C-alpha cells in the first residue's frame, strides 16, 4: 500500500486492520460464533460471507470510476447502474460491492471518508436536544445522547452499516450488531433505515454546538436505589396497605 500512504488520513491497510479487530469483537472470540445451544446464535447475522472490497477513489465520470484497490491495483470500474453513497472526491476511501458474476461492474459504492464523523438529529423525547452516532476512523463508534444504545464499533457488511451495541450483561458472541441500511449519504446528510425506523442525520462539524446530554451510565440510576431493609429513596412511591394491594 505504499502507493497510497499519502492520500488522506491513515493507510488503508491500517484502517482495515482496525475494522477487522472491531468485527472480531462483534462476533465474539469463541469458535465461529455458532454454539451448541439454541440461543447462542440469536444475534448472528452473517449467514453469507462479506463481499465488500476497499480502495481509494482517484477520479470518475458518469459511467465509471478509477480507483486503487487494497491490493494496490489500479482499475476502472463500471458505475452506470451502481448506487453511490457520498460525493466522491480524489483520495476518499471507498467500500464497494460488485454485481454477481461481473468483476468490474459496481452494485454499491460507499464513501467511507464522508461516512466518518458525528451525525445528529433532534431527540424524539427531549425537546431541543440532539441525539445520534459518531463513526471514527479505524472502526470505533460512540452513541450521542442515548440511554438505549451504547455503540462501541462499526463496520460495513455487504453494503450495510453495522454497529456493535454493548448492553449490560452481554459479552463475547452475545454482543449484538445493529444493522442500518444506508439510503442517502452526502457531506451534510446521512439517511439510514433500521427495520421500520428511519434516521435523518445532519453532519455536525462542531460538537460544542450540539445541545446534548451525554450519558456514561446506560442503566437506570435508581434501579438499585431501594433498600428493602431501610427507607425508600426520596421520590419513590410509599408502601401500599395490604388491603389495597392487587395480586
Amino acid at each position: 500500500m505504499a502507493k497510497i500512504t499519502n492520500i488522506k488520513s491513515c493507510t488503508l491497510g491500517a484502517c482495515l486492520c482496525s475494522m477487522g479487530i472491531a468485527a472480531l469483537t462483534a462476533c465474539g472470540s469463541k469458535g465461529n460464533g455458532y454454539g451448541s445451544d439454541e440461543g447462542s446464535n440469536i444475534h448472528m447475522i452473517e449467514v453469507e460471507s462479506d463481499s465488500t472490497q476497499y480502495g481509494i477513489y482517484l477520479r470518475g465520470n458518469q459511467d465509471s470510476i478509477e480507483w486503487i484497490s487494497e491490493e494496490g491495483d489500479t482499475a476502472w470500474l463500471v458505475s452506470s447502474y451502481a448506487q453511490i453513497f457520498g460525493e466522491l472526491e480524489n483520495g476518499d476511501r471507498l467500500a464497494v460491492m460488485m454485481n454477481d458474476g461481473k468483476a468490474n461492474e459496481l452494485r454499491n459504492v460507499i464513501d467511507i471518508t464522508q461516512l466518518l464523523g458525528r451525525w445528529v438529529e433532534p431527540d424524539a423525547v427531549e425537546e431541543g436536544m440532539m441525539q445520534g452516532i459518531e463513526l471514527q476512523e479505524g472502526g470505533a463508534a460512540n452513541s450521542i445522547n442515548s440511554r438505549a444504545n451504547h455503540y462501541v464499533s462499526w463496520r460495513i457488511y455487504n453494503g450495510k452499516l453495522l454497529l456493535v451495541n454493548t448492553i449490560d450483561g452481554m459479552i463475547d458472541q452475545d454482543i449484538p450488531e445493529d444493522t442500518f441500511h444506508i439510503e442517502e449519504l452526502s457531506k451534510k446528510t446521512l439517511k439510514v433505515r433500521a427495520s421500520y425506523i428511519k434516521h435523518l442525520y445532519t453532519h455536525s462539524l462542531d460538537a460544542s454546538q450540539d445541545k446534548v446530554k451525554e450519558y456514561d451510565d446506560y442503566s437506570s440510576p435508581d434501579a438499585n436505589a431501594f433498600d428493602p431493609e431501610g427507607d425508600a429513596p426520596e421520590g419513590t412511591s410509599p408502601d401500599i396497605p395490604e388491603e389495597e394491594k392487587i395480586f
Side-chain angles (χ1 to χ4, degrees):
M1 296 304 297
K3 297 180 181 179
I4 57 174
T5 51
N6 293 324
I7 302 180
K8 279 192 183 181
S9 193
C10 71
T11 65
L12 180 62
C15 296
L16 292 173
C17 179
S18 299
M19 291 177 69
I21 292 173
L24 288 174
T25 302
C27 295
S29 58
K30 297 180 180 179
N32 61 5
Y34 292 91
S36 56
D37 59 293
E38 293 182 359
S40 63
N41 64 350
I42 188 170
H43 297 301
M44 295 303 296
I45 60 171
E46 293 187 346
V47 294
E48 59 180 342
S49 60
D50 184 13
S51 61
T52 310
Q53 299 180 40
Y54 298 90
I56 300 294
Y57 177 76
L58 297 179
R59 56 179 174 167
N61 52 47
Q62 187 174 357
D63 299 315
S64 59
I65 68 170
E66 185 182 20
W67 84 331
I68 301 176
S69 70
E70 61 181 314
E71 291 82 16
D73 300 323
T74 303
W76 282 92
L77 305 176
V78 178
S79 58
S80 304
Y81 307 103
Q83 286 187 300
I84 298 179
F85 300 105
E87 304 168 26
L88 309 186
E89 294 183 346
N90 179 263
D92 283 0
R93 292 183 292 116
L94 306 181
V96 307
M97 281 59 64
M98 302 295 184
N99 272 329
D100 294 339
K102 299 180 180 179
N104 288 335
E105 186 174 292
L106 294 166
R107 175 164 52 92
N108 291 91
V109 179
I110 301 172
D111 192 318
I112 297 294
T113 299
Q114 291 178 17
L115 185 63
L116 298 176
R118 188 177 175 94
W119 299 96
V120 296
E121 65 180 354
D123 191 310
V125 177
E126 297 191 54
E127 186 176 356
M129 301 290 283
M130 304 297 285
Q131 65 178 4
I133 56 177
E134 182 178 11
L135 306 178
Q136 300 176 5
E137 186 126 29
N142 289 313
S143 295
I144 299 172
N145 197 30
S146 175
R147 284 186 178 273
N149 301 310
H150 186 190
Y151 294 123
V152 294
S153 64
W154 68 274
R155 62 180 177 132
I156 298 296
Y157 174 75
N158 285 335
K160 297 179 285 290
L161 172 63
L162 271 57
L163 288 95
V164 175
N165 190 3
T166 60
I167 301 175
D168 288 345
M170 287 189 162
I171 57 174
D172 294 333
Q173 70 263 33
D174 290 327
I175 296 177
E177 288 181 302
D178 292 344
T179 303
F180 294 87
H181 298 266
I182 301 175
E183 296 189 341
E184 181 182 336
L185 172 63
S186 68
K187 293 179 180 179
K188 296 182 178 180
T189 302
L190 172 62
K191 184 177 180 181
V192 297
R193 173 174 53 84
S195 186
Y196 298 104
I197 300 174
K198 291 188 177 183
H199 298 277
L200 180 57
Y201 295 118
T202 299
H203 198 186
S204 173
L205 299 177
D206 185 357
S208 65
Q209 299 299 313
D210 299 335
K211 189 176 180 181
V212 301
K213 179 171 58 180
E214 301 286 4
Y215 295 109
D216 294 324
D217 186 356
Y218 288 83
S219 60
S220 171
D222 298 323
N224 300 313
F226 180 70
D227 180 1
E229 300 299 328
D231 297 328
E234 183 179 352
T236 59
S237 300
D239 290 338
I240 301 174
E242 288 292 332
E243 62 271 15
E244 295 182 16
K245 289 183 178 180
I246 299 175
F247 295 94

